[in-house]
Amino acid sequence: MSRIGLLGAMDEEIALLLADMDKAETTVKAGITYVTGTLHGKSVVVCKSGVGKVNAAVTTQILIDTFGIDTVLFTGVAGAVHPDLEIGDIVISTSCVQHDMDVTALGFPRGVIPYQETSEFKADNKLIALAEEACNKINEGRYMKGKVLSGDQFISSREVVKMLHEELGGACAEMEGAAVAQVCHMNDIPFVILRSMSDKADGSAHINFAEFTVEASRRSHQILDYMVRNLS
């Protein structure tokens, strides 16, 4: 039986999923709480990764090794980097890159992990298409497919946002997606990252972030819920 891993970085991002689950059982590994059960008749594991790339990577590897998941859906909020994105829009990952991987001093382009075959981890095409279908039904088509940039930094500078878009081609910036993506790539597990824009990563986050996190989490939950219902 296939099993879906559903991840969020914060409590708000997984609370609605947990409320909908049946036959929920809790397991703690490495200080991370994993809740196994069913959602719309599908076997799922829901967990909060915590913030940052290390937390996200550890959480994802345990999901694969201990719980045998074969699909990963990661949801949460992000700062918009692409100038066409507005607060409330969704970014569906086509790929993920670590924007804070910076070995430019040794001649490597920003975002490239030295001596590794790939540094850009591509999402699964079928999951991307299903996410698009969900966004068209739930978020009035307000979405963009694009590159998700991850780093252990909260971006709040217009200059950095401009660089992330122009140099790395990013759609949005957050703190976990590329770590999840890399672990999935290393284990040959299909994934997609879904991010709802809570701010424009431009220094106005103190105005936007708290207010929009609740709404963004609700919207992300609806999209994730649709995807679980319709995953074959």
Side-chain angles (χ1 to χ4, degrees), residues 177-195:
V180 173
Q182 183 171 344
V183 172
C184 287
H185 171 81
M186 293 167 74
N187 290 275
D188 199 26
I189 300 290
F191 76 91
V192 71
I193 310 295
L194 303 167
R195 290 292 189 175

Side-chain angles (χ1 to χ4, degrees), residues 84-103:
D84 291 345
L85 284 168
E86 297 296 335
I87 292 168
D89 291 353
I90 301 288
V91 169
I92 302 168
S93 68
T94 51
S95 63
C96 298
V97 169
Q98 296 180 56
H99 68 75
D100 61 348
M101 177 59 68
D102 185 355
V103 197

Side-chain angles (χ1 to χ4, degrees), residues 36-212:
T36 59
T38 58
L39 185 62
H40 307 309
K42 311 283 175 66
S43 179
V44 299
V45 186
V46 176
C47 57
K48 181 180 77 171
S49 69
V51 175
K53 293 186 298 178
V54 173
N55 279 328
V58 170
T59 301
T60 305
Q61 191 63 56
I62 291 173
L63 267 177
I64 294 166
D65 289 343
T66 302
F67 298 98
I69 55 101
D70 51 23
T71 302
V72 169
L73 307 178
F74 191 107
T75 182
V77 297
V81 168
H82 194 290
D84 291 345
L85 284 168
E86 297 296 335
I87 292 168
D89 291 353
I90 301 288
V91 169
I92 302 168
S93 68
T94 51
S95 63
C96 298
V97 169
Q98 296 180 56
H99 68 75
D100 61 348
M101 177 59 68
D102 185 355
V103 197
T104 52
L106 297 182
F108 293 92
R110 183 187 296 273
V112 168
I113 304 168
Y115 319 120
Q116 188 162 295
E117 184 179 332
T118 184
S119 303
E120 183 172 347
F121 305 102
K122 298 194 178 301
D124 180 77
N125 287 330
K126 290 181 180 177
L127 293 177
I128 292 170
L130 184 56
E132 280 193 89
E133 187 181 307
C135 285
N136 279 319
K137 287 183 179 296
I138 290 154
N139 207 42
E140 301 170 339
R142 290 178 56 195
Y143 72 90
M144 175 183 291
K145 294 188 295 181
K147 188 187 296 181
V148 172
L149 303 179
S150 306
D152 289 327
Q153 303 161 352
F154 192 96
I155 305 300
S156 59
S157 157
R158 287 182 174 84
E159 291 73 24
V160 174
V161 167
K162 190 168 186 285
M163 179 277 293
L164 292 176
H165 178 59
E166 293 179 356
E167 188 177 330
L168 292 177
C172 67
E174 38 87 295
M175 301 175 76
E176 297 84 27
V180 173
Q182 183 171 344
V183 172
C184 287
H185 171 81
M186 293 167 74
N187 290 275
D188 199 26
I189 300 290
F191 76 91
V192 71
I193 310 295
L194 303 167
R195 290 292 189 175
S196 184
M197 300 305 100
S198 62
D199 64 271
K200 302 193 83 167
D202 60 359
S204 63
H206 62 287
I207 301 167
N208 298 329
F209 188 75
E211 179 183 345
F212 284 98

